[in-house]
Amino acid sequence: MSNLTLVAPIKGWVAPLDEVPDPVFAERLLGDGLAIDPTGDSVHAPCDGIVVSVARHAVTLRASNGAEILIHVGLETVALHGQGFVTHVRDGQSVRTGDPLIAFDLDFLAMKAKSLISPVVVTNGDAFAIVRRSGDRETECGEFLMELRPLSERAEQGVSEASRQVLVRLPHGVHARPAAQISGVARKFECDVEVVCRERHANAKSVAALMSLAVQGNEQIRVSARGQNAHRAVDEIVELIEHGIVEEAAEPAAPIPLPPVAENLPSNAIRGVSGAPGTAIGRVYRLHVSEQIVVEHGAGRELEAARLRAALDGVRSRLGDLKAAGNRQQHDILGAHLALLDDPELLNCAAAEIAADKSAAFAWRAASRQLAGTFRALKDGRMRERASDVLDLERQVLAALLGEAHTKPESLPPDAIVLAEELLPSELAILGTVAGIVTASGGPTSHVAILAAGKGIPTVVGCGPRVLEIADGAIIVLDASTGLLYVEPGLELLEDARRKIERQTNAASDALARAAEVCVTADGVRVLITANLGSGADEALAAVQGGAEGCGLLRTEFLFQDRDTSPSADEQFDIYQAIATALSGRPFKIRTFDIGGDKPVPYLPLPFEENPALGLRGVRAGLMHRDLLRTQLAAILRVSPLPSIMLPMVSSLEEIRAVREQLAELGAPPDIQLGIMVETPASAMLAAQFSEDADFFSVGTNDLTQYTLAMDRGHPELAPHIDAYHPAVLALIARAVSGAERHCRPVSVCGGLASEPLAAALLLGLGIRELSMPAAAIPRMKDVIRSLDIETCRAAARDALQQNSPRDVRAIAARLLQPSGDFQ
C-alpha cells in the first residue's frame, strides 16, 4: 500500500501540535498531526476520500487506504452550536482533494472561540505513521502538509455490528417513496444492512424487500448492520426514519367504497371507487395492451447481461426525463420507480436467470413477476397496489429489450375517457389531455390515482370486469366524486351532467375572466390578492397571468433543499431577480429560509431533537448559521426593485433586531421593509411590541394552528383535528391585527386559510386586507370577496370569536358565502 500525501486544508501558519493550548490535542490523545493557525476562512479536503462525519466546526475524512483525518476548526468551538459555520458536505459524501468542506466566519470565531488554531490529526494512528511533515511556515490551501505510511497492508477497517429499534411514525408506513430513501442511505455503506419487522427480515438496500415487509405507521422495526461502519449505517438510517422523511400531502386516504349489494342502481350504472374527483361526459377510448412475446433461451450469458444493462440504462434515462418534467406527484412516484430499477433483489433474481442461460427478456419478466407476486400476497391494500408499479417497469424494460418504441398513444379527442384493465403510471405520464379515466382494477391509493388527481383528471378505479364489456366509442357519464359511471345515459341524466359541468365551468370562467381586475369588496374596500410561490420565474409569470397582484410569500427552501451544498449568493440573486422581473414591480415578499425541523438539509447538520417542530428551525436556524443567512440577505439586497424580507418562526424582538443588524452591516437602505411571519402564539400576542421593529406581519395559519392547539400537523390521528377555524386561532389573528395597529403595520394571511373561500368573510372581518395563496385559488377568491361587504364581515367575525368549536365557526362563515353552483 503506497504512502498518502495530505495537503493543507486551510490557509494559514503551520505549527506543531505541541503549540495547541489544549491537552487533548497537544498530548496527542486523538492522534498525531499538525495544527494550522488560519488566515483563510474555509476548510478544503486534504486528500480524496469519504466524509465520515461533519459537525459544523469539525470534519473527519477517510482516505481510500483507510486513514482517517480529523480537521477541527478552532478550540472549544463546539460551544458555539454551529454559529459562524456553514458546511458544504454531508456524511457519506465522496470528495476530491481541494473540495470545499466548511466555511467559517474568521472574525466571529476570533471573538468567540478560545483559539483559532485548528488541529489536523490522523485519528487511527495505530495503522498509520507520519513519515514526513511540513515545517513551521505560512501555507496556502493545497500545499504539502504531511505524508502517511500504512503500518500494515490492512489498515483499521472498523468492522463491527450494530442494531437499533425505531418507531416508524410515517402515516402510511414504509411504502414506495420512504423505501427508496432508506435503501439510498443503506447503499452508501459496504456493510450488510437489514430491517426486521414482525420477525421478518429484509435487505435494507432493496426497495422491493423493504416494501414487502408492509411496515405500517406507528410500527416498531429493528435496523441491524454488520461490517465496516455498521454503527454509522444504522444511525443514519434511524435518523432518516425519525426525522428525514417528510410526507407533505403524501397520498390521499382511501375512500370507503359503498357496498354494491345495498344499492339500487340503474342497470347502466357501474360502481367503482373514486380515484380523483370531478365530472366528465365523453366517449370510451379502450387502451389495449398486447402481451409481449419473449424467447426463453439466451444467446450467451455475457451478451444477455449486457443487453439487460443497456435496456435498464435506456429506461432509467427516459424515467429521469419524465420525472424532471412532471409535477410533484409524478416526480415522487417516478423517483420510486427509478429506485426499483436499481433494486439488488430484483437485479440478482434476473442475473440468476441469465446465469441459467435464459434470455435477458425472460429473466427480467421472471424476476418482475416474482416480485409482483410478493406484493399481491400482502394483506395491506396499499402495498398490494405496488404490484402494478413492478409490472409497469417490466413492460418498459421488455419494450427496450424487444426494440418496441415507447411512444405516446395516438392523439386523443378532448372528450376521450380512457378505459383499461389497469393503467400504468408510465402510460398516464405520457397521455395528453383526456376527459376522464376508468379502470377495472386498481385502488384509490394506486400511483395512477395519485397522478390523475395531480393532473385534475376525473378518475374511477376498481370497477371490476364488467366495465371491460363497454364498447369503444360508447358515451358514458363519469361522476368520479361518487365513484359512479353511467353507460349510454338517457337524455335526462345527460342533461343533468351537462348542467353540472356547465355550472362548474361557467363559474370558473367568469372568475378567471375577471381575475386580472383589482379585488374590491361590494362596498368598495380594496383587498390585495397575491400568490404564494415556491420556485422560479415561470411560476411567478403564470401567477401574474392568473390574476396575482404580487407575491405575498416566496418560500426560498426550494433553493436550499435536495442538494449537497448551500446555494451561493449569485445563484440566489439570479433566481430572485428573475422573479422580480416577472412580477414587473408588483409587491414581492421573500421569506428567508425555513429549514431545520421538518425540512432538514444534508449540508446543515443539526443536533438530534426530540421535537424538531419546537427546535432549530426558521429564523432560529438562520441566526445560528449566520453565514448562510448573511449570504441570502446579501443576495436579496441586490435585487431591483428591492423586495420586502420576511422572517419565519419569530418569537422574540431580539430575533428581529439581530437580522436588522445584519442588514445594516450589509449596507441595506434605511427604508428596507423587514416583516415577520405570525406562526407562534408569542408573535401574535406581542404584535404591538413587535410592531416597533417589524414593518409588516403575515399570518402563517398552518403553523399557528398546530402551535396554538398543541397538535402536530404530521400526526396521523391528530391531523383531522387541526382546524384553523378554531376560535382560539381566530382570536390570535385578531390580537395580531389589533397589535399591529399600534404603529399602523399591515397584516396579511399567507397560510392555508387564506385560500379557502369559506374563510374570506371572517378574515376580512378581523381586519385582514391582503391574502396570499396558491395561484390557482386566486380567481375564485376574488370572485367571493367581490360579493362581500365589510360591515357584514365584521359582524360575522365578532360572532365567530364567541363560538366554542370550529364547526360552529364554519356554520357562521357558510351563511355568508353566496352559492355559486358546484365550483367551490
Short mmCIF file of all heavy atoms in Angstrom, two decimals, residues 508-518 529-531 533 536-551 579 581-584 586 773-780 782 786:
data_model
loop_
_atom_site.label_atom_id
_atom_site.label_comp_id
_atom_site.label_asym_id
_atom_site.label_seq_id
_atom_site.Cartn_x
_atom_site.Cartn_y
_atom_site.Cartn_z
N ALA A 508 -66.02 28.99 -13.04
CA ALA A 508 -64.57 29.08 -13.16
C ALA A 508 -64.17 30.10 -14.23
O ALA A 508 -63.25 30.90 -14.04
CB ALA A 508 -63.98 27.72 -13.49
N SER A 509 -64.88 30.07 -15.37
CA SER A 509 -64.56 31.00 -16.47
C SER A 509 -64.80 32.45 -16.07
O SER A 509 -63.99 33.34 -16.37
CB SER A 509 -65.38 30.64 -17.71
OG SER A 509 -65.05 29.36 -18.16
N ASP A 510 -65.94 32.69 -15.42
CA ASP A 510 -66.26 34.06 -15.00
C ASP A 510 -65.21 34.59 -14.04
O ASP A 510 -64.76 35.74 -14.14
CB ASP A 510 -67.64 34.11 -14.34
CG ASP A 510 -68.77 33.85 -15.33
OD1 ASP A 510 -68.50 33.90 -16.55
OD2 ASP A 510 -69.91 33.58 -14.88
N ALA A 511 -64.85 33.73 -13.09
CA ALA A 511 -63.85 34.16 -12.12
C ALA A 511 -62.52 34.41 -12.81
O ALA A 511 -61.81 35.38 -12.51
CB ALA A 511 -63.70 33.11 -11.03
N LEU A 512 -62.15 33.51 -13.75
CA LEU A 512 -60.87 33.67 -14.45
C LEU A 512 -60.86 34.90 -15.33
O LEU A 512 -59.84 35.61 -15.42
CB LEU A 512 -60.60 32.42 -15.28
CG LEU A 512 -59.22 32.30 -15.91
CD1 LEU A 512 -58.14 32.29 -14.83
CD2 LEU A 512 -59.12 31.02 -16.75
N ALA A 513 -62.00 35.19 -15.96
CA ALA A 513 -62.07 36.36 -16.84
C ALA A 513 -61.83 37.65 -16.08
O ALA A 513 -61.29 38.61 -16.62
CB ALA A 513 -63.44 36.39 -17.53
N ARG A 514 -62.24 37.69 -14.82
CA ARG A 514 -62.08 38.92 -14.02
C ARG A 514 -60.88 38.84 -13.09
O ARG A 514 -60.67 39.75 -12.28
CB ARG A 514 -63.35 39.17 -13.21
CG ARG A 514 -64.61 39.36 -14.02
CD ARG A 514 -65.74 39.82 -13.12
NE ARG A 514 -65.45 41.08 -12.46
CZ ARG A 514 -66.13 41.57 -11.43
NH1 ARG A 514 -67.15 40.88 -10.93
NH2 ARG A 514 -65.80 42.72 -10.88
N ALA A 515 -60.10 37.78 -13.23
CA ALA A 515 -59.00 37.56 -12.29
C ALA A 515 -57.98 38.68 -12.33
O ALA A 515 -57.36 39.02 -11.31
CB ALA A 515 -58.32 36.22 -12.56
N ALA A 516 -57.78 39.27 -13.50
CA ALA A 516 -56.76 40.32 -13.62
C ALA A 516 -57.21 41.65 -13.02
O ALA A 516 -56.38 42.54 -12.80
CB ALA A 516 -56.39 40.50 -15.09
N GLU A 517 -58.50 41.78 -12.75
CA GLU A 517 -59.00 43.03 -12.17
C GLU A 517 -58.60 43.12 -10.70
O GLU A 517 -58.41 42.10 -10.03
CB GLU A 517 -60.53 43.09 -12.28
CG GLU A 517 -61.04 43.03 -13.71
CD GLU A 517 -62.57 42.99 -13.75
OE1 GLU A 517 -63.20 43.23 -12.69
OE2 GLU A 517 -63.12 42.69 -14.82
N VAL A 518 -58.48 44.35 -10.20
CA VAL A 518 -58.19 44.51 -8.78
C VAL A 518 -59.37 43.98 -7.98
O VAL A 518 -60.50 43.94 -8.46
CB VAL A 518 -57.91 45.99 -8.42
CG1 VAL A 518 -56.67 46.48 -9.14
CG2 VAL A 518 -59.11 46.85 -8.74
N ILE A 529 -54.71 40.69 -3.39
CA ILE A 529 -54.65 39.23 -3.53
C ILE A 529 -53.34 38.87 -4.22
O ILE A 529 -53.12 39.20 -5.39
CB ILE A 529 -55.84 38.68 -4.35
CG1 ILE A 529 -57.16 39.11 -3.71
CG2 ILE A 529 -55.75 37.16 -4.45
CD1 ILE A 529 -57.38 38.56 -2.32
N THR A 530 -52.45 38.21 -3.49
CA THR A 530 -51.13 37.87 -4.00
C THR A 530 -50.95 36.35 -4.00
O THR A 530 -51.78 35.61 -3.49
CB THR A 530 -50.03 38.53 -3.16
OG1 THR A 530 -50.22 38.16 -1.78
CG2 THR A 530 -50.11 40.06 -3.27
N ALA A 531 -49.83 35.91 -4.56
CA ALA A 531 -49.59 34.48 -4.73
C ALA A 531 -48.47 33.99 -3.83
O ALA A 531 -47.48 34.71 -3.59
CB ALA A 531 -49.23 34.18 -6.19
N LEU A 533 -45.43 31.58 -3.80
CA LEU A 533 -44.57 30.97 -4.81
C LEU A 533 -43.54 30.08 -4.14
O LEU A 533 -43.13 30.32 -3.00
CB LEU A 533 -43.86 32.06 -5.64
CG LEU A 533 -44.77 33.08 -6.36
CD1 LEU A 533 -43.92 34.12 -7.08
CD2 LEU A 533 -45.70 32.37 -7.33
N GLY A 536 -39.34 29.22 -9.49
CA GLY A 536 -38.70 30.32 -10.19
C GLY A 536 -39.64 31.26 -10.92
O GLY A 536 -40.82 31.38 -10.64
N ALA A 537 -39.06 31.93 -11.95
CA ALA A 537 -39.77 32.99 -12.66
C ALA A 537 -40.97 32.48 -13.43
O ALA A 537 -41.96 33.21 -13.60
CB ALA A 537 -38.79 33.71 -13.59
N ASP A 538 -40.90 31.25 -13.94
CA ASP A 538 -42.04 30.72 -14.71
C ASP A 538 -43.29 30.66 -13.85
O ASP A 538 -44.39 31.00 -14.30
CB ASP A 538 -41.71 29.32 -15.24
CG ASP A 538 -40.67 29.37 -16.35
OD1 ASP A 538 -40.42 30.46 -16.88
OD2 ASP A 538 -40.10 28.31 -16.67
N GLU A 539 -43.14 30.22 -12.60
CA GLU A 539 -44.29 30.15 -11.70
C GLU A 539 -44.82 31.56 -11.41
O GLU A 539 -46.03 31.79 -11.36
CB GLU A 539 -43.91 29.45 -10.41
CG GLU A 539 -45.10 29.26 -9.46
CD GLU A 539 -44.71 28.73 -8.09
OE1 GLU A 539 -43.52 28.85 -7.73
OE2 GLU A 539 -45.60 28.23 -7.37
N ALA A 540 -43.90 32.52 -11.24
CA ALA A 540 -44.31 33.89 -10.95
C ALA A 540 -45.08 34.49 -12.13
O ALA A 540 -46.11 35.15 -11.95
CB ALA A 540 -43.08 34.74 -10.63
N LEU A 541 -44.58 34.26 -13.34
CA LEU A 541 -45.25 34.79 -14.53
C LEU A 541 -46.64 34.18 -14.69
O LEU A 541 -47.62 34.88 -14.98
CB LEU A 541 -44.40 34.50 -15.77
CG LEU A 541 -44.85 35.15 -17.07
CD1 LEU A 541 -44.88 36.67 -16.94
CD2 LEU A 541 -43.93 34.74 -18.21
N ALA A 542 -46.75 32.87 -14.46
CA ALA A 542 -48.05 32.21 -14.55
C ALA A 542 -49.01 32.75 -13.50
O ALA A 542 -50.21 32.91 -13.76
CB ALA A 542 -47.88 30.70 -14.39
N ALA A 543 -48.51 33.04 -12.31
CA ALA A 543 -49.36 33.58 -11.25
C ALA A 543 -49.90 34.95 -11.63
O ALA A 543 -51.08 35.24 -11.42
CB ALA A 543 -48.56 33.66 -9.95
N VAL A 544 -49.05 35.80 -12.20
CA VAL A 544 -49.49 37.14 -12.62
C VAL A 544 -50.55 37.02 -13.71
O VAL A 544 -51.57 37.72 -13.70
CB VAL A 544 -48.28 37.96 -13.11
CG1 VAL A 544 -48.74 39.25 -13.78
CG2 VAL A 544 -47.36 38.28 -11.94
N GLN A 545 -50.32 36.12 -14.65
CA GLN A 545 -51.30 35.93 -15.73
C GLN A 545 -52.62 35.38 -15.18
O GLN A 545 -53.67 35.60 -15.78
CB GLN A 545 -50.72 34.97 -16.77
CG GLN A 545 -49.55 35.56 -17.54
CD GLN A 545 -48.83 34.54 -18.41
OE1 GLN A 545 -49.02 33.33 -18.26
NE2 GLN A 545 -48.00 35.03 -19.32
N GLY A 546 -52.56 34.70 -14.03
CA GLY A 546 -53.77 34.17 -13.41
C GLY A 546 -54.43 35.11 -12.43
O GLY A 546 -55.37 34.72 -11.75
N GLY A 547 -53.95 36.35 -12.35
CA GLY A 547 -54.60 37.35 -11.50
C GLY A 547 -53.86 37.76 -10.25
O GLY A 547 -54.35 38.60 -9.49
N ALA A 548 -52.68 37.21 -9.99
CA ALA A 548 -51.92 37.59 -8.79
C ALA A 548 -51.47 39.05 -8.90
O ALA A 548 -50.99 39.49 -9.94
CB ALA A 548 -50.72 36.68 -8.60
N GLU A 549 -51.62 39.77 -7.79
CA GLU A 549 -51.24 41.18 -7.75
C GLU A 549 -49.87 41.36 -7.10
O GLU A 549 -49.52 42.45 -6.67
CB GLU A 549 -52.30 41.98 -6.99
CG GLU A 549 -53.68 41.88 -7.63
CD GLU A 549 -54.76 42.51 -6.77
OE1 GLU A 549 -54.64 43.73 -6.48
OE2 GLU A 549 -55.70 41.81 -6.38
N GLY A 550 -49.11 40.27 -7.05
CA GLY A 550 -47.78 40.29 -6.46
C GLY A 550 -47.49 38.94 -5.83
O GLY A 550 -48.27 37.98 -5.98
N CYS A 551 -46.40 38.87 -5.14
CA CYS A 551 -46.03 37.67 -4.40
C CYS A 551 -46.04 37.98 -2.91
O CYS A 551 -45.24 38.79 -2.44
CB CYS A 551 -44.63 37.18 -4.83
SG CYS A 551 -43.97 35.88 -3.78
N ILE A 579 -37.55 36.43 -10.71
CA ILE A 579 -38.93 36.50 -10.19
C ILE A 579 -39.38 37.96 -10.11
O ILE A 579 -40.51 38.29 -10.49
CB ILE A 579 -39.01 35.82 -8.80
CG1 ILE A 579 -38.74 34.32 -8.93
CG2 ILE A 579 -40.38 36.06 -8.17
CD1 ILE A 579 -38.62 33.60 -7.61
N THR A 581 -38.40 40.41 -11.91
CA THR A 581 -38.65 40.87 -13.28
C THR A 581 -40.01 40.37 -13.77
O THR A 581 -40.77 41.11 -14.39
CB THR A 581 -37.53 40.38 -14.20
OG1 THR A 581 -36.27 40.89 -13.73
CG2 THR A 581 -37.77 40.85 -15.62
N ALA A 582 -40.33 39.11 -13.46
CA ALA A 582 -41.62 38.56 -13.87
C ALA A 582 -42.78 39.28 -13.19
O ALA A 582 -43.86 39.42 -13.77
CB ALA A 582 -41.68 37.06 -13.55
N LEU A 583 -42.56 39.76 -11.98
CA LEU A 583 -43.61 40.46 -11.24
C LEU A 583 -43.79 41.90 -11.70
O LEU A 583 -44.77 42.55 -11.34
CB LEU A 583 -43.31 40.42 -9.74
CG LEU A 583 -43.40 39.05 -9.07
CD1 LEU A 583 -42.92 39.12 -7.62
CD2 LEU A 583 -44.83 38.51 -9.12
N SER A 584 -42.82 42.42 -12.44
CA SER A 584 -42.92 43.76 -13.05
C SER A 584 -43.28 44.85 -12.04
O SER A 584 -44.20 45.65 -12.25
CB SER A 584 -43.97 43.75 -14.18
OG SER A 584 -43.62 42.80 -15.16
N ARG A 586 -44.57 44.61 -9.06
CA ARG A 586 -45.62 44.28 -8.09
C ARG A 586 -44.99 43.93 -6.74
O ARG A 586 -43.81 43.59 -6.66
CB ARG A 586 -46.47 43.12 -8.60
CG ARG A 586 -47.28 43.46 -9.85
CD ARG A 586 -48.00 42.21 -10.37
NE ARG A 586 -48.86 42.52 -11.52
CZ ARG A 586 -48.43 42.55 -12.78
NH1 ARG A 586 -47.15 42.30 -13.04
NH2 ARG A 586 -49.26 42.83 -13.75
N MET A 773 -51.97 33.26 -1.55
CA MET A 773 -52.45 31.88 -1.71
C MET A 773 -51.84 31.26 -2.96
O MET A 773 -51.21 31.96 -3.78
CB MET A 773 -53.98 31.90 -1.84
CG MET A 773 -54.47 32.64 -3.08
SD MET A 773 -56.20 33.14 -2.97
CE MET A 773 -56.12 34.41 -1.69
N PRO A 774 -52.03 29.94 -3.16
CA PRO A 774 -51.62 29.33 -4.43
C PRO A 774 -52.32 30.02 -5.59
O PRO A 774 -53.50 30.39 -5.50
CB PRO A 774 -52.08 27.87 -4.28
CG PRO A 774 -52.12 27.64 -2.81
CD PRO A 774 -52.54 28.94 -2.20
N ALA A 775 -51.62 30.19 -6.69
CA ALA A 775 -52.15 30.97 -7.81
C ALA A 775 -53.48 30.42 -8.31
O ALA A 775 -54.36 31.18 -8.73
CB ALA A 775 -51.13 31.01 -8.94
N ALA A 776 -53.66 29.09 -8.27
CA ALA A 776 -54.88 28.50 -8.79
C ALA A 776 -56.12 28.93 -8.02
O ALA A 776 -57.23 28.89 -8.55
CB ALA A 776 -54.76 26.97 -8.76
N ALA A 777 -55.95 29.36 -6.76
CA ALA A 777 -57.10 29.74 -5.94
C ALA A 777 -57.50 31.19 -6.12
O ALA A 777 -58.55 31.62 -5.62
CB ALA A 777 -56.78 29.48 -4.46
N ILE A 778 -56.71 31.98 -6.83
CA ILE A 778 -56.93 33.43 -6.89
C ILE A 778 -58.23 33.82 -7.59
O ILE A 778 -59.00 34.64 -7.06
CB ILE A 778 -55.71 34.12 -7.53
CG1 ILE A 778 -54.55 34.10 -6.54
CG2 ILE A 778 -56.03 35.56 -7.95
CD1 ILE A 778 -53.25 34.64 -7.08
N PRO A 779 -58.54 33.29 -8.78
CA PRO A 779 -59.79 33.74 -9.44
C PRO A 779 -61.02 33.51 -8.56
O PRO A 779 -61.88 34.41 -8.45
CB PRO A 779 -59.83 32.88 -10.71
CG PRO A 779 -58.40 32.56 -10.99
CD PRO A 779 -57.78 32.37 -9.64
N ARG A 780 -61.14 32.35 -7.97
CA ARG A 780 -62.29 32.06 -7.12
C ARG A 780 -62.35 32.98 -5.91
O ARG A 780 -63.41 33.50 -5.55
CB ARG A 780 -62.23 30.59 -6.69
CG ARG A 780 -63.24 30.17 -5.62
CD ARG A 780 -64.67 30.35 -6.07
NE ARG A 780 -65.63 29.77 -5.13
CZ ARG A 780 -66.85 30.21 -4.94
NH1 ARG A 780 -67.29 31.26 -5.63
NH2 ARG A 780 -67.65 29.63 -4.08
N LYS A 782 -61.10 36.03 -5.52
CA LYS A 782 -61.51 37.38 -5.90
C LYS A 782 -63.02 37.44 -6.14
O LYS A 782 -63.68 38.42 -5.77
CB LYS A 782 -60.75 37.83 -7.16
CG LYS A 782 -59.30 38.20 -6.92
CD LYS A 782 -58.68 38.83 -8.17
CE LYS A 782 -57.29 39.37 -7.90
NZ LYS A 782 -56.71 40.05 -9.08
N ARG A 786 -65.64 39.90 -3.91
CA ARG A 786 -66.45 40.95 -4.56
C ARG A 786 -67.90 40.91 -4.11
O ARG A 786 -68.64 41.88 -4.28
CB ARG A 786 -66.34 40.81 -6.08
CG ARG A 786 -64.96 41.14 -6.63
CD ARG A 786 -64.93 41.10 -8.15
NE ARG A 786 -63.58 41.33 -8.65
CZ ARG A 786 -62.84 40.43 -9.29
NH1 ARG A 786 -63.35 39.22 -9.54
NH2 ARG A 786 -61.63 40.72 -9.70
#
